[in-house]
Amino acid sequence: MTMETDAAAGGSGRDWSALPLDILLISMSCMEVPDVVHSGAVCTSWRSAYGAFRALRLPTPRQPPCLLYYAARTSPAATLYSPSTNATFRVPLPEDRGGGFLASAHGWLFATDAAANPYLINPLTGARAALPPITTLERVKSRSTDADGGVVYDVDFNRISAAPPATQRVTARRARDWMYRQVSISGRPGGAACVVLLLHMPHQELSFARPGDARWTSLSGGLSQLDRGLYSSTVYSDRDGLFYALRATGSVHKLDLSGPSPAARPYTWTLRSFASKCTGYLVPMPCGTLLLVTRVWGRYGEPRSGICRSGTYCGEVHKCVVTEGVQVEKMDMERRRFERLAPGDHALFLGSSSAQYLPVEFLPPSLSKRNCAYLADDVGYDTFLSPISRHDAGVWDFESGSMRKYDELWPLHPCPDSSRSPIWITPSLH
Ligand SMILES: *[C@@H]1O[C@H](CO)[C@@H](O)[C@H](O)[C@H]1NC(C)=O
């Protein structure tokens, strides 16, 4: 009996709850961020260590990207999967019932509430930052309630500024899936540098705001009719503090949103226009140079329209597609030249919500195969009014020119609903 007690006492070396705080903090700083959060739930002493870890703003090692997705159409919680540790975490997103999140940056998500109003949330800590409501987007004219008590918005679809409004009703539910197309964020919420650039419908225009602002500011104002809208990709470059936006017509705009009167300065470099079966993305390299990545889509199967209720706009079409090619080019902005590039020892993380180009030497073995791109689902456009959800997420191998789906590689079980499909996120505690 004594022996057993001794053995149990010997096990006090393994009584992890009794570890001193500094040891716990050191262990946490060697973990990946989701494991740190998880360990905070183990016992009281680990919970207080987790509190101290956050309060001291201790750094975690280079956190590799994780996939975040919904496992079910109506699940209130999202699933976070870390390919490097093969661990799955449940991430509660309290307000989110039946909707999705669109994008991630700096470990934060751009998400929407039930009335389609956007906000930022750190899914691991639950911290939130407010963004202006949907009704402050220039083309959203009013909010009302339909016969069933649901929220609907009157959206002006007119593309010609002098013409009278061409208003259509869009339900809040539809607005959540359809209105927001791409988001780039210049810094963490709470920091002075946090500007959110939004690419939104109905005409793929740009608006921006800082957390806490009352309104979205449209960037279409100073532009001619021809230069307005039709944006397909935006990116923030922390090298020069500027946003870059690529239009479907093939031109690049440079945006300085830091000053008191920010503007889209159409530094215009017309590259080439993208055929409807191609999507162009801008991706910053670690050195600050921009890459132009072109994803070529092939189609198999007939388009399937979303279900419309009479009198409301439904827009979106789902198409079965496959990725047929991915091409990477380095953009020499000064000499206005392109140069084809093989990613080699860099991994490309790409989707409508993420664009990262990371050296494989800092990535875990499961993400460090050479010459690969980690692709997420995307949204394209057949005409400027018809977004198309493109389901095709997997690892593209540049050498073989082929793709392996994520669910063949990892234990993922995403819901087939496009607005709930996996996106890449690099978790952060701050
Ligand atoms: C990852 O976890 C799943 C179970 O969730 C398991 O079936 C699979 O074998 C694991 N993969 C590796 C490489 O450990």
Side-chain angles (χ1 to χ4, degrees):
M1 199 59 206
T2 319
M3 288 289 287
E4 269 179 45
T5 313
D6 280 353
S12 75
R14 271 179 277 132
D15 179 4
W16 291 55
S17 67
L19 287 175
L21 180 64
D22 52 350
I23 301 286
L24 287 176
L25 294 180
I26 290 167
S27 332
M28 285 179 170
S29 64
C30 299
M31 293 176 184
E32 287 196 4
V33 170
D35 293 315
V36 174
V37 176
H38 218 228
S39 67
V42 167
C43 62
T44 321
S45 68
W46 280 72
R47 190 173 318 127
S48 47
Y50 170 60
F53 189 89
R54 284 187 60 189
L56 293 167
R57 299 183 73 84
L58 292 177
T60 44
R62 281 193 187 83
Q63 169 67 46
C66 294
L67 284 163
L68 186 73
Y69 64 95
Y70 280 100
R73 205 161 297 231
T74 53
S75 165
T79 304
L80 184 73
Y81 174 73
S82 167
S84 70
T85 58
N86 195 34
T88 301
F89 302 87
R90 193 173 175 275
V91 181
L93 289 173
E95 284 228 2
D96 206 317
R97 282 194 200 86
F101 36 73
L102 173 69
S104 82
H106 315 284
W108 287 66
L109 286 176
F110 178 96
T112 46
D113 68 13
N117 288 313
Y119 62 97
L120 300 176
I121 183 166
N122 182 325
L124 290 196
T125 64
R128 289 174 62 131
L131 290 174
I134 184 172
T135 46
T136 65
L137 283 169
E138 197 174 66
R139 290 185 177 277
V140 181
K141 297 303 178 193
S142 62
R143 170 182 163 142
S144 53
T145 310
D146 67 12
D148 305 332
V151 173
V152 288
Y153 297 102
D154 284 332
V155 179
D156 180 8
F157 279 65
N158 201 333
R159 244 192 133 234
I160 304 156
S161 50
T167 307
Q168 299 209 42
R169 302 191 100 190
V170 179
T171 62
R173 201 185 156 69
R174 172 57 54 189
R176 298 176 71 173
D177 290 346
W178 167 80
M179 182 61 91
Y180 309 107
R181 284 295 152 206
Q182 221 201 28
V183 181
S184 298
I185 306 174
S186 61
R188 290 204 161 85
C194 182
V195 175
V196 179
L197 178 64
L198 185 60
L199 198 175
H200 58 88
M201 297 307 276
H203 298 300
Q204 294 158 255
E205 286 169 277
L206 299 177
S207 296
F208 75 96
R210 293 180 176 78
D213 278 0
R215 311 185 57 77
W216 289 98
T217 303
S218 168
L219 283 167
S220 295
L223 298 177
S224 75
Q225 202 58 52
L226 268 180
D227 281 330
R228 247 176 239 182
L230 299 180
Y231 287 97
S232 63
S233 171
T234 63
V235 83
Y236 175 72
S237 167
D238 49 16
R239 276 304 169 115
D240 54 14
L242 298 175
F243 288 90
Y244 291 84
L246 176 69
R247 295 184 76 214
T249 53
S251 51
V252 181
H253 288 188
K254 206 186 244 191
L255 316 169
D256 184 353
L257 304 181
S258 59
S261 54
R265 273 197 261 115
Y267 152 88
T268 312
W269 176 18
T270 302
L271 317 165
R272 57 172 170 261
S273 66
F274 291 92
S276 67
K277 63 193 280 272
C278 294
T279 309
Y281 308 83
L282 298 175
V283 184
M285 293 173 81
C287 64
T289 303
L290 287 187
L291 295 175
L292 173 68
V293 180
T294 309
R295 186 171 179 182
V296 184
W297 304 95
R299 193 177 290 171
Y300 70 93
E302 283 306 299
R304 184 166 58 82
S305 275
I307 299 153
C308 286
R309 286 163 48 117
S310 61
T312 56
Y313 179 76
C314 69
E316 193 140 359
V317 174
H318 299 276
K319 274 186 185 155
C320 298
V321 293
V322 285
T323 304
E324 290 188 333
V326 181
Q327 179 184 314
V328 183
E329 289 158 290
K330 209 163 133 177
M331 295 167 63
D332 183 339
M333 293 280 213
E334 258 142 51
R335 275 177 277 168
R336 305 198 166 204
R337 281 213 304 249
F338 293 105
E339 189 190 317
R340 271 294 273 274
L341 188 90
D345 52 7
H346 282 74
L348 187 61
F349 292 85
L350 197 67
S352 60
S353 65
S354 54
Q356 288 197 86
Y357 190 70
L358 303 173
V360 291
E361 62 177 307
F362 299 127
L363 290 168
S366 55
L367 297 174
S368 58
K369 196 163 171 263
R370 285 174 53 83
N371 272 317
C372 282
Y374 296 85
L375 306 175
D377 287 353
D378 206 342
V379 175
Y381 306 87
D382 254 5
T383 68
F384 63 88
L385 281 185
S386 299
I388 305 162
S389 308
R390 288 160 161 166
H391 282 289
D392 194 32
V395 185
W396 176 262
D397 183 328
F398 285 91
E399 262 154 47
S400 65
S402 64
M403 181 114 128
R404 277 194 76 186
K405 302 272 188 175
Y406 291 138
D407 48 12
E408 292 170 24
L409 293 167
W410 301 316
L412 302 187
H413 308 284
C415 158
D417 202 330
S418 66
S419 61
R420 319 204 96 205
S421 60
I423 67 167
W424 286 102
I425 180 170
T426 305
S428 160
L429 285 175
H430 308 300

